[in-house]
């Protein structure tokens, strides 16, 4: 009878075990499906944002930036402070009599119109779902799995904070069983990371006209070449994100995971799971409102060496040099060269820079037998062919430089 009593309680014990290991409160992950399965709810606050991991439960569910629209590639620009161009005086005054326009000496600040640019990064839109009422017959979460936790005050039992990704966004990596971090420092909570560029100096030459010289004047200029310089102000990359507590499973459990769910496994995909290579090197964006699931967009993908792509900006402008009309003889004696009037122009392409947005590349896995599809825009899906201008960095031949102009 004792055995019968124990057996009689077995269903109750198993039910309690299943509940204890069910998807913990706030269990959140990306899905390859266009909608969340039954028992799961889309994380509305994350829509149109990448996910940045946090190890601090008090910093979870915080946002930075404006959510992206469907297929929107984040873009940005900078302000540039232009240095004045000083045109020194040439002693003497031209003899008045013909008709010529001469530049006046003084300090002139060049105008500057700067192009917008994207980060050079690639993105994919995926459905981000939170387990709210998981089905009882789903599969287990193997130990070593990484999951986000929405609406959670701590990692649950049998889970621990995954510190390696804190302050970084997780990106599907190339290695089957290892992680690779970018060189960028982790983000502080709600940090809107900025970056800057170097203004590449340019020169312009004034025109020249030769006229007779009279002594006494100092308002005119010698024809010459002058330098145009400026300084970039740091700016955000405009990549919006949503912070989520990120935890690693320390023991296998009966957490219900539908087949379309995808999980990061830093140590490699476990038995029964396969690597998802479709999204390798792309930042994962929670599906925007009215967005298209599995849409890939952007400039390309991160290279296997985790060197982020670089981008450039182009500055164009003029130097508004004042001038005056001078009547002077062009012959009949010793002539002096004077700078002619006009508004010389310049074009300066900045140094290449990455946006300093930190990431951690890790294997992304899905259960065997699950099909994954993507819809691709006209942008490249290959890291080696995504560049528009070769990077000036000597540290990696695979980095790319991107620019968009107005």
């Amino acid at each position: 009878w004792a055995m019968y009593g124990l057996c009689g309680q077995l269903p109750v014990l198993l039910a309690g075990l299943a509940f204890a290991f069910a998807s913990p409160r706030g269990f959140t992950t990306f899905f390859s499906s266009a909608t969340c399965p039954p028992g799961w709810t889309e994380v509305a606050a994350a829509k149109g944002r990448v996910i940045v991991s946090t190890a601090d439960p008090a910093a979870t569910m915080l946002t930075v930036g404006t959510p992206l629209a469907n297929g929107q590639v984040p873009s940005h620009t900078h302000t540039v402070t232009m240095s004045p161009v000083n045109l020194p005086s040439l002693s003497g005054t031209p003899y008045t009599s013909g008709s010529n326009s001469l530049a006046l000496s003084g300090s002139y600040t060049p105008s500057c119109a700067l192009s917008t640019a994207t980060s050079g990064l690639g993105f994919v839109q995926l459905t981000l779902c939170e387990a709210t009422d998981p089905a009882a017959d789903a599969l287990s979460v193997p130990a070593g799995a990484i999951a986000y936790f929405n609406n959670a005050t701590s990692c649950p039992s049998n889970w621990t904070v995954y510190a390696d990704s804190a302050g970084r966004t997780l990106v599907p990596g190339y290695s089957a069983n290892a992680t690779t971090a970018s060189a960028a420092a982790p983000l502080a909570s709600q940090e809107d990371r900025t970056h800057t560029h170097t203004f590449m100096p340019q020169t312009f030459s004034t025109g020249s006209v030769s006229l007779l010289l009279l002594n006494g004047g100092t308002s005119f200029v010698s024809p010459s070449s002058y330098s145009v310089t400026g300084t970039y102000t740091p700016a955000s990359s405009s990549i919006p994100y949503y912070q989520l507590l990120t935890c690693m499973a320390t023991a296998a459990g009966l957490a219900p995971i539908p087949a379309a769910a995808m999980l990061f496994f830093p140590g490699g995909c476990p038995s029964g799971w396969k690597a998802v290579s479709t999204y390798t090197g792309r930042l994962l964006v929670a599906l925007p409102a009215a967005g298209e699931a599995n849409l890939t967009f952007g400039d390309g993908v991160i290279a296997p060496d985790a060197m982020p792509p670089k981008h450039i900006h182009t500055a164009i402008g003029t130097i508004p040099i004042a001038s005056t009309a001078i009547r002077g003889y062009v012959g009949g004696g010793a002539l002096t060269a004077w700078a002619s009037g006009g508004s010389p122009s310049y074009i300066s392409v900045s140094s290449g820079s990455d946006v300093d947005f930190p990431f951690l590349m890790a294997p992304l896995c899905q259960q065997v037998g699950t099909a994954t599809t993507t819809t691709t825009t006209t942008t490249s899906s290959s890291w080696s062919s995504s560049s528009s201008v070769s990077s000036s960095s000597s540290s990696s031949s695979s980095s790319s430089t991107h620019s968009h102009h107005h």
Side-chain angles (χ1 to χ4, degrees):
W1 61 273
M3 180 66 71
Y4 179 81
L6 178 61
C7 292
Q9 296 297 315
L10 189 57
V12 177
L13 294 173
L14 288 176
L17 183 65
F19 178 80
F21 281 95
S23 289
R25 175 177 171 79
F27 185 100
T28 301
T29 194
F30 284 103
F31 282 73
S32 60
S33 54
T35 58
C36 296
W40 295 71
T41 302
E42 203 167 353
V43 182
K47 283 178 169 291
R49 302 176 183 274
V50 303
I51 304 302
V52 169
S53 298
T54 181
D56 180 8
T60 194
M61 299 187 298
L62 301 178
T63 63
V64 168
T66 303
L68 301 175
N70 182 50
Q72 179 186 353
V73 181
S75 63
H76 68 279
T77 189
H78 299 254
T79 57
V80 178
T81 301
M82 300 302 297
S83 302
V85 177
N86 295 309
L87 275 60
S89 297
L90 174 65
S91 179
T93 301
Y95 185 83
T96 60
S97 186
S99 180
N100 298 276
S101 176
L102 298 187
L104 296 176
S105 62
S107 179
Y108 300 98
T109 300
S111 65
C112 179
L114 191 68
S115 67
T116 59
T118 60
S119 63
L121 295 165
F123 303 85
V124 60
Q125 295 175 173
L126 296 172
T127 310
L128 184 69
C129 304
E130 176 185 354
T132 50
D133 184 21
D137 59 349
L139 302 176
S140 67
V141 173
I146 303 298
Y148 305 113
F149 285 88
N150 198 40
N151 294 302
T153 57
S154 65
C155 292
S157 300
N158 299 307
W159 293 77
T160 187
V161 167
Y162 185 55
D164 288 357
S165 67
R168 301 178 181 275
T169 187
L170 284 164
V171 173
Y174 295 86
S175 173
N177 55 9
T179 61
T180 306
S182 64
L187 295 166
S189 180
Q190 290 189 292
E191 177 188 354
D192 192 6
R193 180 68 57 83
T194 62
H195 68 283
T196 191
H197 300 261
T198 298
F199 188 98
M200 306 306 289
Q202 301 298 308
T203 59
F204 70 91
S205 297
T206 62
S208 178
V209 61
S210 294
L211 299 173
L212 291 174
L213 176 66
L214 294 179
N215 293 327
T218 58
S219 61
F220 299 101
V221 181
S222 175
S224 185
S225 294
Y226 299 91
S227 181
V228 178
T229 60
T231 303
Y232 276 78
T233 299
S236 166
S237 63
S238 299
I239 298 176
Y241 66 85
Y242 184 66
Q243 295 179 180
L244 279 177
L245 180 65
T246 306
C247 308
M248 173 184 280
T250 56
L254 301 179
I257 298 297
M262 294 177 289
L263 294 171
F264 285 98
F265 286 87
C269 299
S271 176
W273 292 68
K274 63 179 180 179
V276 180
S277 60
T278 313
Y279 313 128
T280 299
R282 293 185 179 274
L283 273 63
L284 309 185
V285 177
L287 187 65
E292 182 180 354
N294 298 301
L295 178 69
T296 59
F297 58 99
D299 296 303
V301 297
I302 299 167
D305 58 7
M307 288 293 292
K310 296 175 183 284
H311 67 282
I312 57 175
H313 295 267
T314 299
I316 60 174
T318 59
I319 299 83
I321 300 174
S323 61
T324 188
I326 290 294
R327 297 177 61 80
Y329 289 112
V330 296
L335 302 181
T336 298
W338 307 83
S340 58
S343 295
S345 62
Y346 73 91
I347 299 177
S348 173
V349 177
S350 74
S351 64
S353 297
D354 66 74
V355 293
D356 206 34
F357 197 85
F359 57 85
L360 179 71
M361 301 179 79
L364 181 66
C365 307
Q366 193 170 41
Q367 295 166 58
V368 172
T370 305
T372 302
T373 59
T374 61
T375 301
T376 307
T377 63
T378 56
T379 56
S380 171
S381 61
S382 170
W383 70 266
S384 62
S385 62
S386 61
S387 65
S388 58
V389 180
S390 297
S391 170
S392 60
S393 171
S394 61
S395 60
S396 172
S397 61
S398 60
S399 296
S400 301
T401 306
H402 300 267
S403 172
H404 291 247
H405 303 277
H406 284 169

